[in-house]
Coordinates of all heavy atoms in Angstrom, one line a residue:
M26 N -12.7 0.7 -8.7 CA -11.5 0.7 -7.9 C -10.3 0.3 -8.7 O -10.4 -0.7 -9.4 CB -11.6 -0.2 -6.7 CG -10.3 -0.2 -5.8 SD -10.4 -1.3 -4.4 CE -12.0 -1.0 -3.7
K27 N -9.2 1.0 -8.6 CA -8.0 0.7 -9.4 C -7.2 -0.4 -8.7 O -7.2 -0.5 -7.5 CB -7.1 1.9 -9.5 CG -7.7 3.0 -10.4 CD -6.7 4.1 -10.7 CE -6.5 5.0 -9.4 NZ -5.6 6.1 -9.7
E28 N -6.6 -1.3 -9.5 CA -5.8 -2.4 -9.0 C -4.5 -2.5 -9.8 O -4.5 -2.1 -10.9 CB -6.6 -3.7 -9.1 CG -7.8 -3.8 -8.3 CD -8.5 -5.2 -8.4 OE1 -8.5 -5.8 -9.5 OE2 -9.1 -5.6 -7.4
I29 N -3.5 -3.0 -9.1 CA -2.2 -3.2 -9.7 C -1.7 -4.6 -9.2 O -2.0 -4.9 -8.0 CB -1.3 -2.1 -9.4 CG1 0.0 -2.2 -10.2 CG2 -1.0 -2.0 -7.9 CD1 0.9 -0.9 -10.2
T30 N -0.9 -5.3 -10.0 CA -0.4 -6.5 -9.5 C 1.0 -6.3 -8.8 O 1.6 -5.2 -9.0 CB -0.1 -7.5 -10.7 OG1 0.9 -6.9 -11.5 CG2 -1.4 -7.8 -11.5
A31 N 1.4 -7.2 -8.0 CA 2.7 -7.1 -7.3 C 3.8 -7.1 -8.3 O 4.8 -6.3 -8.2 CB 2.8 -8.3 -6.4
E32 N 3.6 -7.8 -9.4 CA 4.7 -7.8 -10.5 C 4.8 -6.4 -11.1 O 5.9 -5.9 -11.4 CB 4.3 -8.8 -11.6 CG 5.4 -8.9 -12.6 CD 5.0 -10.0 -13.7 OE1 4.4 -11.0 -13.3 OE2 5.3 -9.7 -14.9
E33 N 3.7 -5.7 -11.3 CA 3.7 -4.4 -11.9 C 4.4 -3.4 -10.9 O 5.2 -2.5 -11.3 CB 2.3 -3.9 -12.2 CG 1.7 -4.6 -13.4 CD 0.2 -4.3 -13.6 OE1 -0.6 -4.3 -12.6 OE2 -0.2 -4.0 -14.8
V34 N 4.1 -3.5 -9.6 CA 4.7 -2.7 -8.6 C 6.2 -2.9 -8.6 O 7.0 -2.0 -8.7 CB 4.1 -2.9 -7.2 CG1 4.9 -2.2 -6.2 CG2 2.7 -2.5 -7.2
Q35 N 6.6 -4.2 -8.7 CA 8.0 -4.5 -8.7 C 8.7 -3.9 -9.9 O 9.8 -3.3 -9.8 CB 8.2 -6.0 -8.6 CG 9.7 -6.5 -8.5 CD 9.8 -8.0 -8.5 OE1 8.8 -8.7 -8.2 NE2 11.0 -8.5 -8.6
Q36 N 8.1 -4.0 -11.1 CA 8.7 -3.5 -12.3 C 8.9 -2.0 -12.2 O 9.9 -1.4 -12.6 CB 7.8 -3.8 -13.5 CG 8.0 -5.2 -14.0 CD 7.1 -5.5 -15.2 OE1 6.0 -4.8 -15.4 NE2 7.5 -6.4 -16.1
R37 N 7.9 -1.3 -11.7 CA 7.9 0.1 -11.6 C 9.0 0.6 -10.6 O 9.8 1.5 -10.9 CB 6.6 0.7 -11.1 CG 5.5 0.6 -12.3 CD 4.1 1.0 -11.9 NE 4.1 2.4 -11.5 CZ 3.0 3.1 -11.1 NH1 1.9 2.5 -11.0 NH2 3.1 4.4 -10.8
L38 N 9.2 -0.2 -9.5 CA 10.3 0.1 -8.5 C 11.6 -0.1 -9.2 O 12.6 0.7 -9.0 CB 10.1 -0.7 -7.3 CG 8.9 -0.3 -6.4 CD1 8.8 -1.3 -5.2 CD2 9.1 1.1 -5.8
E39 N 11.7 -1.2 -9.9 CA 13.0 -1.6 -10.6 C 13.4 -0.5 -11.6 O 14.5 -0.3 -11.9 CB 13.0 -3.0 -11.1 CG 13.0 -4.0 -10.1 CD 12.8 -5.4 -10.6 OE1 12.5 -5.6 -11.8 OE2 12.9 -6.4 -9.8
N40 N 12.3 0.1 -12.2 CA 12.6 1.1 -13.2 C 12.9 2.5 -12.6 O 13.0 3.5 -13.3 CB 11.4 1.3 -14.1 CG 11.2 0.1 -15.1 OD1 12.2 -0.6 -15.3 ND2 10.0 -0.2 -15.6
G41 N 13.0 2.5 -11.3 CA 13.3 3.8 -10.6 C 12.2 4.7 -10.2 O 12.5 5.8 -9.8
E42 N 11.0 4.2 -10.4 CA 9.8 5.1 -10.1 C 9.7 5.3 -8.5 O 9.9 4.3 -7.8 CB 8.5 4.5 -10.6 CG 8.3 4.8 -12.0 CD 6.9 4.3 -12.4 OE1 5.9 4.9 -11.9 OE2 6.8 3.4 -13.3
A43 N 9.4 6.5 -8.1 CA 9.2 6.7 -6.7 C 7.7 6.5 -6.4 O 6.9 7.3 -6.9 CB 9.6 8.1 -6.3
L44 N 7.4 5.4 -5.7 CA 6.0 5.1 -5.5 C 5.6 5.4 -4.0 O 6.5 5.2 -3.1 CB 5.7 3.6 -5.8 CG 6.0 3.2 -7.2 CD1 5.8 1.6 -7.3 CD2 5.2 3.9 -8.2
N45 N 4.4 5.8 -3.8 CA 3.9 6.0 -2.4 C 3.2 4.7 -2.0 O 2.0 4.5 -2.3 CB 3.0 7.2 -2.4 CG 3.7 8.4 -2.8 OD1 4.7 8.8 -2.2 ND2 3.2 9.0 -3.9
L46 N 3.9 3.8 -1.3 CA 3.4 2.5 -0.9 C 3.0 2.6 0.6 O 3.8 2.9 1.4 CB 4.4 1.4 -1.1 CG 5.1 1.3 -2.5 CD1 6.2 0.3 -2.5 CD2 4.0 0.9 -3.5
I47 N 1.7 2.3 0.8 CA 1.2 2.2 2.2 C 0.8 0.8 2.5 O 0.0 0.2 1.9 CB 0.0 3.1 2.4 CG1 0.4 4.6 2.1 CG2 -0.6 3.0 3.8 CD1 -0.8 5.6 2.3
D48 N 1.5 0.2 3.5 CA 1.3 -1.1 4.0 C 0.3 -1.0 5.2 O 0.7 -0.4 6.2 CB 2.6 -1.8 4.4 CG 2.5 -3.3 4.6 OD1 1.5 -3.7 5.1 OD2 3.4 -4.0 4.2
V49 N -0.9 -1.6 5.1 CA -1.9 -1.5 6.2 C -1.9 -2.7 7.1 O -2.8 -2.8 7.9 CB -3.3 -1.2 5.6 CG1 -3.3 0.1 4.8 CG2 -3.7 -2.4 4.7
R50 N -0.8 -3.5 7.1 CA -0.7 -4.6 8.0 C -0.3 -4.1 9.4 O 0.2 -2.9 9.5 CB 0.3 -5.6 7.6 CG -0.1 -6.3 6.3 CD 1.0 -7.3 5.8 NE 2.2 -6.6 5.5 CZ 3.5 -7.1 5.4 NH1 3.6 -8.4 5.7 NH2 4.5 -6.4 5.1
E51 N -0.5 -4.9 10.4 CA -0.1 -4.5 11.7 C 1.5 -4.5 11.8 O 2.2 -5.1 11.0 CB -0.6 -5.6 12.8 CG -2.1 -5.6 12.9 CD -2.7 -4.3 13.3 OE1 -2.2 -3.6 14.2 OE2 -3.8 -3.9 12.7
V52 N 2.0 -3.7 12.8 CA 3.4 -3.5 12.9 C 4.2 -4.8 13.0 O 5.2 -4.9 12.3 CB 3.7 -2.6 14.1 CG1 5.2 -2.5 14.4 CG2 3.1 -1.2 13.9
I53 N 3.7 -5.7 13.7 CA 4.4 -7.0 13.9 C 4.5 -7.8 12.6 O 5.5 -8.4 12.3 CB 3.8 -7.9 15.0 CG1 4.7 -9.0 15.4 CG2 2.4 -8.4 14.6 CD1 4.6 -9.5 16.8
E54 N 3.5 -7.6 11.7 CA 3.5 -8.3 10.4 C 4.5 -7.6 9.5 O 5.2 -8.3 8.8 CB 2.1 -8.2 9.7 CG 1.0 -9.0 10.4 CD -0.3 -8.7 9.7 OE1 -1.0 -7.7 10.1 OE2 -0.7 -9.6 8.9
V55 N 4.6 -6.3 9.6 CA 5.5 -5.6 8.7 C 6.9 -5.9 9.1 O 7.8 -6.0 8.2 CB 5.2 -4.1 8.8 CG1 6.3 -3.2 8.1 CG2 3.9 -3.8 8.2
R56 N 7.2 -6.1 10.4 CA 8.5 -6.4 10.8 C 9.0 -7.7 10.3 O 10.2 -8.0 10.1 CB 8.6 -6.5 12.4 CG 8.6 -5.1 13.0 CD 8.7 -5.2 14.5 NE 8.5 -3.9 15.1 CZ 8.1 -3.8 16.3 NH1 7.7 -4.8 17.1 NH2 7.9 -2.6 16.8
S57 N 8.1 -8.6 9.9 CA 8.5 -9.9 9.4 C 8.9 -9.9 7.9 O 9.4 -10.8 7.4 CB 7.4 -11.0 9.6 OG 6.3 -10.7 8.8
G58 N 8.7 -8.7 7.3 CA 9.2 -8.5 5.9 C 8.2 -7.6 5.2 O 7.0 -7.7 5.2
H59 N 8.8 -6.6 4.6 CA 8.1 -5.6 3.8 C 8.8 -5.1 2.6 O 10.0 -5.2 2.5 CB 7.6 -4.4 4.7 CG 8.8 -3.7 5.3 ND1 9.4 -2.7 4.7 CD2 9.4 -3.8 6.5 CE1 10.4 -2.2 5.4 NE2 10.4 -2.9 6.5
I60 N 8.1 -4.4 1.7 CA 8.8 -3.8 0.5 C 9.5 -2.6 1.0 O 9.0 -1.8 1.8 CB 7.7 -3.4 -0.5 CG1 6.9 -4.6 -1.0 CG2 8.3 -2.7 -1.7 CD1 5.7 -4.3 -1.8
P61 N 10.8 -2.5 0.6 CA 11.6 -1.3 1.0 C 10.9 0.0 0.7 O 10.3 0.1 -0.4 CB 12.9 -1.5 0.2 CG 13.0 -2.9 -0.1 CD 11.6 -3.4 -0.3
G62 N 10.9 1.0 1.6 CA 10.3 2.3 1.3 C 8.9 2.5 1.6 O 8.3 3.5 1.4
I63 N 8.2 1.4 2.2 CA 6.8 1.6 2.5 C 6.6 2.5 3.7 O 7.5 2.8 4.4 CB 6.1 0.2 2.8 CG1 6.8 -0.5 4.0 CG2 6.1 -0.7 1.6 CD1 6.0 -0.5 5.3
I64 N 5.3 3.0 3.8 CA 4.9 3.7 5.0 C 3.9 2.7 5.6 O 3.0 2.1 4.9 CB 4.1 5.0 4.6 CG1 5.0 5.9 3.8 CG2 3.5 5.6 5.8 CD1 4.2 7.1 3.2
N65 N 4.1 2.4 6.9 CA 3.2 1.5 7.6 C 2.1 2.3 8.4 O 2.4 3.0 9.3 CB 4.0 0.6 8.6 CG 3.1 -0.4 9.3 OD1 3.4 -0.6 10.5 ND2 2.2 -1.0 8.7
I66 N 0.9 2.1 7.9 CA -0.3 2.6 8.6 C -1.2 1.5 8.8 O -2.0 1.1 7.9 CB -0.9 3.8 7.8 CG1 0.1 4.9 7.5 CG2 -2.1 4.3 8.7 CD1 -0.5 6.0 6.7
P67 N -1.3 0.8 10.0 CA -2.2 -0.2 10.2 C -3.6 0.2 9.9 O -4.0 1.4 10.1 CB -2.1 -0.6 11.7 CG -0.6 -0.2 12.0 CD -0.4 1.1 11.2
L68 N -4.4 -0.7 9.3 CA -5.8 -0.4 8.8 C -6.6 0.3 9.9 O -7.3 1.3 9.6 CB -6.5 -1.7 8.3 CG -7.9 -1.5 7.8 CD1 -7.9 -0.5 6.6 CD2 -8.5 -2.8 7.4
G69 N -6.5 -0.1 11.1 CA -7.2 0.4 12.2 C -6.9 1.9 12.5 O -7.6 2.6 13.2
L70 N -5.7 2.3 12.1 CA -5.3 3.7 12.3 C -5.4 4.6 11.1 O -5.1 5.8 11.2 CB -3.8 3.7 12.8 CG -3.5 2.9 14.1 CD1 -2.0 2.9 14.3 CD2 -4.3 3.5 15.2
L71 N -5.9 4.1 10.0 CA -5.9 4.8 8.8 C -6.7 6.1 8.9 O -6.2 7.1 8.4 CB -6.4 3.9 7.6 CG -6.3 4.5 6.2 CD1 -4.9 4.8 5.9 CD2 -6.9 3.5 5.2
E72 N -7.9 6.0 9.4 CA -8.7 7.2 9.5 C -8.0 8.3 10.3 O -8.0 9.5 10.0 CB -10.0 6.9 10.2 CG -11.0 8.0 10.1 CD -12.4 7.7 10.5 OE1 -12.7 6.5 10.9 OE2 -13.3 8.5 10.4
A73 N -7.3 8.0 11.4 CA -6.6 8.9 12.2 C -5.4 9.5 11.5 O -5.0 10.7 11.8 CB -6.1 8.3 13.5
K74 N -4.9 8.8 10.5 CA -3.7 9.3 9.8 C -4.0 10.1 8.5 O -3.2 10.5 7.8 CB -2.8 8.1 9.4 CG -2.1 7.4 10.6 CD -1.1 8.3 11.2 CE -0.2 7.6 12.2 NZ 0.9 8.4 12.7
L75 N -5.3 10.3 8.3 CA -5.7 11.0 7.1 C -5.0 12.4 6.9 O -4.6 12.7 5.8 CB -7.3 11.2 7.0 CG -8.1 10.0 6.7 CD1 -9.6 10.3 6.8 CD2 -7.7 9.4 5.4
P76 N -4.8 13.1 8.0 CA -4.1 14.4 7.8 C -2.7 14.3 7.3 O -2.1 15.2 6.7 CB -4.1 15.0 9.2 CG -5.2 14.3 9.9 CD -5.3 13.0 9.4
D77 N -2.1 13.1 7.4 CA -0.7 12.9 6.9 C -0.7 12.5 5.4 O 0.4 12.4 4.8 CB -0.1 11.7 7.7 CG 0.1 12.0 9.2 OD1 0.1 13.2 9.5 OD2 0.2 11.1 10.0
L78 N -1.9 12.3 4.8 CA -1.9 11.9 3.4 C -2.3 13.1 2.5 O -3.1 13.9 3.0 CB -3.0 10.7 3.2 CG -2.7 9.5 4.1 CD1 -3.8 8.4 3.8 CD2 -1.3 8.9 3.7
D79 N -1.8 13.1 1.3 CA -2.0 14.2 0.4 C -2.9 13.7 -0.8 O -2.5 12.7 -1.5 CB -0.6 14.6 -0.2 CG -0.7 15.8 -1.1 OD1 -1.8 16.2 -1.5 OD2 0.4 16.3 -1.4
K80 N -4.0 14.3 -1.0 CA -5.0 13.9 -2.0 C -4.4 14.1 -3.4 O -4.9 13.5 -4.4 CB -6.3 14.7 -1.9 CG -7.1 14.2 -0.8 CD -8.5 14.8 -0.8 CE -9.4 14.2 0.3 NZ -10.7 14.7 0.3
K81 N -3.3 14.8 -3.5 CA -2.7 15.1 -4.8 C -1.7 14.0 -5.2 O -1.2 13.9 -6.3 CB -1.9 16.4 -4.8 CG -2.9 17.6 -4.7 CD -2.2 18.9 -4.6 CE -3.1 20.0 -4.2 NZ -2.4 21.2 -3.8
K82 N -1.3 13.1 -4.2 CA -0.4 12.0 -4.5 C -1.1 10.7 -4.7 O -2.1 10.4 -4.1 CB 0.5 11.8 -3.2 CG 1.6 12.9 -3.0 CD 2.4 12.5 -1.8 CE 3.5 13.6 -1.6 NZ 4.3 13.2 -0.4
P83 N -0.6 9.9 -5.6 CA -1.1 8.6 -5.8 C -0.5 7.6 -4.8 O 0.7 7.7 -4.5 CB -0.7 8.2 -7.2 CG 0.6 8.9 -7.4 CD 0.4 10.2 -6.6
Y84 N -1.4 6.7 -4.2 CA -0.9 5.8 -3.2 C -1.3 4.4 -3.7 O -2.3 4.1 -4.3 CB -1.6 6.0 -1.9 CG -1.2 7.3 -1.2 CD1 -2.1 8.4 -1.3 CD2 0.0 7.5 -0.5 CE1 -1.7 9.6 -0.7 CE2 0.3 8.7 0.0 CZ -0.5 9.7 0.0 OH -0.2 10.9 0.5
I85 N -0.4 3.4 -3.4 CA -0.6 2.0 -3.6 C -0.7 1.4 -2.2 O 0.2 1.5 -1.4 CB 0.5 1.4 -4.4 CG1 0.5 2.0 -5.8 CG2 0.3 -0.2 -4.6 CD1 1.7 1.6 -6.7
M86 N -1.9 0.7 -2.0 CA -2.2 0.1 -0.7 C -1.8 -1.4 -0.8 O -2.0 -2.1 -1.7 CB -3.7 0.2 -0.4 CG -4.2 1.6 -0.6 SD -3.3 2.8 0.4 CE -3.8 2.4 2.0
I87 N -1.1 -1.9 0.3 CA -0.6 -3.2 0.4 C -1.0 -3.8 1.8 O -1.0 -3.1 2.8 CB 1.0 -3.2 0.3 CG1 1.4 -2.5 -1.0 CG2 1.6 -4.6 0.5 CD1 2.8 -2.1 -1.0
C88 N -1.2 -5.2 1.8 CA -1.4 -5.9 3.0 C -0.9 -7.3 2.8 O 0.0 -7.5 1.9 CB -2.9 -5.9 3.5 SG -4.0 -6.9 2.4
R89 N -1.3 -8.3 3.5 CA -0.8 -9.6 3.4 C -1.3 -10.3 2.1 O -0.6 -10.9 1.4 CB -1.1 -10.5 4.6 CG -0.6 -11.9 4.6 CD -0.9 -12.7 5.8 NE -2.4 -12.8 6.0 CZ -3.2 -13.6 5.4 NH1 -2.8 -14.4 4.5 NH2 -4.5 -13.6 5.7
S90 N -2.7 -10.3 1.9 CA -3.2 -11.0 0.8 C -4.1 -10.2 -0.1 O -4.6 -10.7 -1.1 CB -4.0 -12.2 1.3 OG -5.1 -11.7 2.1
G91 N -4.3 -8.9 0.3 CA -5.1 -8.0 -0.6 C -6.5 -7.6 0.0 O -7.1 -6.7 -0.5
G92 N -6.9 -8.3 1.1 CA -8.2 -8.0 1.7 C -8.3 -6.7 2.4 O -9.1 -5.8 2.2
R93 N -7.3 -6.5 3.3 CA -7.3 -5.2 4.1 C -6.9 -4.0 3.2 O -7.5 -3.0 3.4 CB -6.3 -5.3 5.3 CG -6.8 -6.2 6.4 CD -5.8 -6.3 7.5 NE -4.8 -7.4 7.1 CZ -3.8 -7.7 7.8 NH1 -3.5 -7.2 8.9 NH2 -3.0 -8.7 7.3
S94 N -6.0 -4.3 2.3 CA -5.7 -3.2 1.4 C -6.9 -2.8 0.5 O -7.1 -1.6 0.1 CB -4.4 -3.5 0.5 OG -4.6 -4.6 -0.2
F95 N -7.7 -3.8 0.2 CA -8.9 -3.5 -0.6 C -9.9 -2.6 0.2 O -10.4 -1.6 -0.3 CB -9.6 -4.8 -0.9 CG -11.0 -4.7 -1.7 CD1 -11.0 -4.6 -3.0 CD2 -12.1 -4.5 -1.0 CE1 -12.2 -4.5 -3.7 CE2 -13.4 -4.4 -1.6 CZ -13.4 -4.3 -3.0
Q96 N -10.0 -2.9 1.5 CA -10.8 -2.1 2.4 C -10.3 -0.7 2.5 O -11.0 0.3 2.4 CB -10.9 -2.7 3.8 CG -11.7 -4.0 3.9 CD -11.6 -4.6 5.3 OE1 -11.6 -3.8 6.3 NE2 -11.5 -5.9 5.4
A97 N -9.0 -0.6 2.7 CA -8.3 0.7 2.8 C -8.5 1.5 1.5 O -8.7 2.7 1.5 CB -6.8 0.5 3.1
T98 N -8.3 0.8 0.3 CA -8.4 1.5 -1.0 C -9.9 2.0 -1.1 O -10.1 3.2 -1.6 CB -8.1 0.5 -2.1 OG1 -6.7 0.1 -1.9 CG2 -8.2 1.2 -3.5
A99 N -10.9 1.2 -0.8 CA -12.3 1.6 -0.9 C -12.5 2.8 -0.1 O -13.2 3.8 -0.5 CB -13.2 0.5 -0.6
F100 N -12.0 2.8 1.2 CA -12.2 3.9 2.1 C -11.6 5.2 1.6 O -12.3 6.2 1.5 CB -11.7 3.5 3.5 CG -11.7 4.6 4.5 CD1 -12.9 5.1 5.0 CD2 -10.5 5.2 4.9 CE1 -12.9 6.2 5.9 CE2 -10.5 6.2 5.9 CZ -11.7 6.7 6.4
L101 N -10.3 5.1 1.2 CA -9.7 6.3 0.8 C -10.2 6.8 -0.6 O -10.4 8.1 -0.8 CB -8.2 6.1 0.6 CG -7.4 5.9 1.9 CD1 -6.0 5.5 1.7 CD2 -7.5 7.1 2.8
D102 N -10.6 5.9 -1.4 CA -11.2 6.3 -2.7 C -12.5 7.1 -2.5 O -12.8 8.1 -3.1 CB -11.5 5.0 -3.6 CG -12.0 5.4 -4.9 OD1 -11.3 6.1 -5.7 OD2 -13.1 4.9 -5.3
S103 N -13.3 6.6 -1.5 CA -14.6 7.3 -1.2 C -14.4 8.7 -0.7 O -15.3 9.5 -0.7 CB -15.4 6.5 -0.2 OG -14.8 6.6 1.1
L104 N -13.2 9.0 -0.2 CA -12.8 10.3 0.3 C -12.1 11.2 -0.7 O -11.7 12.3 -0.4 CB -12.0 10.2 1.6 CG -12.7 9.5 2.8 CD1 -11.7 9.3 3.9 CD2 -13.9 10.3 3.2
G105 N -11.9 10.6 -1.9 CA -11.3 11.4 -3.0 C -9.8 11.3 -3.1 O -9.2 12.0 -3.9
Y106 N -9.2 10.3 -2.5 CA -7.8 10.0 -2.7 C -7.5 9.2 -3.9 O -8.4 8.4 -4.4 CB -7.2 9.3 -1.4 CG -7.1 10.1 -0.2 CD1 -8.2 10.2 0.7 CD2 -6.0 10.8 0.1 CE1 -8.2 11.0 1.8 CE2 -5.9 11.6 1.2 CZ -7.0 11.7 2.1 OH -6.9 12.5 3.2
D107 N -6.3 9.4 -4.5 CA -5.9 8.6 -5.7 C -5.2 7.3 -5.2 O -4.0 7.4 -4.8 CB -4.9 9.5 -6.5 CG -4.5 8.7 -7.8 OD1 -4.9 7.6 -8.0 OD2 -3.7 9.3 -8.5
V108 N -6.0 6.3 -5.1 CA -5.5 5.0 -4.5 C -5.7 3.8 -5.4 O -6.6 3.8 -6.2 CB -6.1 4.7 -3.1 CG1 -5.6 5.7 -2.1 CG2 -7.6 4.8 -3.2
T109 N -4.7 2.9 -5.3 CA -4.7 1.6 -6.1 C -4.5 0.5 -5.1 O -3.6 0.6 -4.3 CB -3.7 1.7 -7.2 OG1 -3.9 2.9 -8.0 CG2 -3.7 0.5 -8.0
N110 N -5.2 -0.6 -5.3 CA -5.0 -1.8 -4.4 C -4.0 -2.7 -5.1 O -4.1 -3.0 -6.3 CB -6.3 -2.5 -4.2 CG -6.2 -3.7 -3.3 OD1 -5.4 -3.7 -2.3 ND2 -6.9 -4.7 -3.6
M111 N -2.9 -3.2 -4.4 CA -2.0 -4.2 -4.9 C -2.7 -5.6 -4.7 O -2.7 -6.0 -3.5 CB -0.7 -4.1 -4.2 CG 0.4 -5.0 -4.9 SD 2.0 -4.9 -4.3 CE 2.1 -6.2 -3.0
V112 N -3.1 -6.2 -5.7 CA -3.8 -7.4 -5.7 C -2.9 -8.5 -5.2 O -1.8 -8.6 -5.6 CB -4.4 -7.8 -7.1 CG1 -5.1 -9.1 -7.1 CG2 -5.3 -6.7 -7.6
G113 N -3.4 -9.3 -4.3 CA -2.6 -10.5 -3.8 C -1.7 -10.1 -2.6 O -1.1 -11.0 -2.0
G114 N -1.5 -8.8 -2.4 CA -0.6 -8.4 -1.3 C 0.8 -9.0 -1.2 O 1.3 -9.4 -2.3
M115 N 1.3 -9.1 0.0 CA 2.7 -9.6 0.1 C 2.8 -11.0 -0.2 O 3.8 -11.5 -0.6 CB 3.2 -9.3 1.5 CG 3.5 -7.9 1.8 SD 4.7 -7.1 0.8 CE 6.2 -8.0 1.2
S116 N 1.6 -11.8 -0.2 CA 1.6 -13.2 -0.6 C 2.0 -13.3 -2.1 O 2.6 -14.3 -2.5 CB 0.3 -13.8 -0.4 OG 0.0 -13.8 1.0
A117 N 1.8 -12.3 -2.9 CA 2.1 -12.3 -4.3 C 3.4 -11.6 -4.6 O 3.9 -11.7 -5.7 CB 1.0 -11.6 -5.1
W118 N 4.1 -11.0 -3.6 CA 5.3 -10.2 -3.8 C 6.5 -11.2 -4.0 O 6.7 -12.1 -3.1 CB 5.5 -9.3 -2.7 CG 6.7 -8.4 -2.8 CD1 7.9 -8.6 -2.1 CD2 6.9 -7.3 -3.7 NE1 8.8 -7.6 -2.5 CE2 8.2 -6.8 -3.5 CE3 6.0 -6.7 -4.6 CZ2 8.7 -5.7 -4.2 CZ3 6.5 -5.6 -5.3 CH2 7.8 -5.1 -5.1
E119 N 7.3 -11.0 -5.0 CA 8.5 -11.8 -5.2 C 9.7 -10.9 -5.3 O 10.8 -11.4 -5.5 CB 8.3 -12.6 -6.5 CG 7.2 -13.6 -6.5 CD 7.1 -14.4 -7.8 OE1 7.9 -14.2 -8.7 OE2 6.2 -15.2 -7.8
G120 N 9.6 -9.6 -5.0 CA 10.7 -8.7 -5.0 C 11.4 -8.7 -3.7 O 11.2 -9.5 -2.8
E121 N 12.3 -7.7 -3.6 CA 13.1 -7.4 -2.4 C 12.2 -7.2 -1.2 O 11.2 -6.5 -1.3 CB 14.1 -6.3 -2.7 CG 15.0 -5.9 -1.5 CD 15.9 -4.7 -1.8 OE1 15.9 -4.3 -3.0 OE2 16.5 -4.2 -0.9
V122 N 12.7 -7.7 0.0 CA 12.0 -7.3 1.2 C 13.1 -6.9 2.2 O 14.2 -7.3 2.2 CB 11.2 -8.5 1.8 CG1 10.0 -8.8 0.9 CG2 12.0 -9.7 2.0
E123 N 12.6 -6.1 3.2 CA 13.5 -5.7 4.3 C 13.0 -6.4 5.6 O 11.8 -6.6 5.7 CB 13.4 -4.2 4.5 CG 14.1 -3.4 3.4 CD 14.2 -1.9 3.6 OE1 13.4 -1.4 4.4 OE2 15.1 -1.3 3.0

């Protein structure tokens, strides 16, 4: 399974890269602060949202501490998606939040 640090994600965003960030936290958690530009798909709804995801696009999965995003990454990876887990989740994020 591929992994990326919060710092690496922040650097890539600051360098102007367009990243496909999926935050798998619950809606109420996301409202308390999230990385600008994320797509929120709570972990429990991920399977139902598969038709909305493109296997040709790389995705970075995010949650609070890295556990739920790890599960989401493993699930999507098993289905052939190009996914990477952001280690440490929002607990490790030091960049801008909305």
Side-chain angles (χ1 to χ4, degrees):
M26 178 183 315
K27 294 188 287 185
E28 294 182 328
I29 190 169
T30 66
E32 183 178 323
E33 289 170 312
V34 171
Q35 184 178 347
Q36 282 181 333
R37 289 175 63 180
L38 289 171
E39 288 173 356
N40 289 338
E42 281 189 61
L44 302 177
N45 300 302
L46 305 173
I47 298 178
D48 193 322
V49 296
R50 294 179 296 160
E51 296 299 319
V52 173
I53 194 155
E54 293 176 278
V55 170
R56 285 186 186 149
S57 69
H59 61 84
I60 299 169
I63 58 105
I64 299 166
N65 179 220
I66 304 176
L68 183 59
L70 300 177
L71 188 57
E72 189 170 1
K74 292 289 190 175
L75 289 176
D77 297 339
L78 302 179
D79 184 348
K80 286 189 177 182
K81 296 176 187 165
K82 288 184 179 179
Y84 294 100
I85 296 173
M86 310 306 288
I87 301 164
C88 69
R89 183 180 54 82
S90 63
R93 285 175 283 180
S94 59
F95 178 90
Q96 292 175 36
T98 301
F100 173 67
L101 292 175
D102 184 58
S103 75
L104 297 174
Y106 288 87
D107 181 2
V108 287
T109 303
N110 183 37
M111 188 174 94
V112 179
M115 288 302 292
S116 296
W118 182 254
E119 295 181 2
E121 181 182 348
V122 294
E123 289 184 337

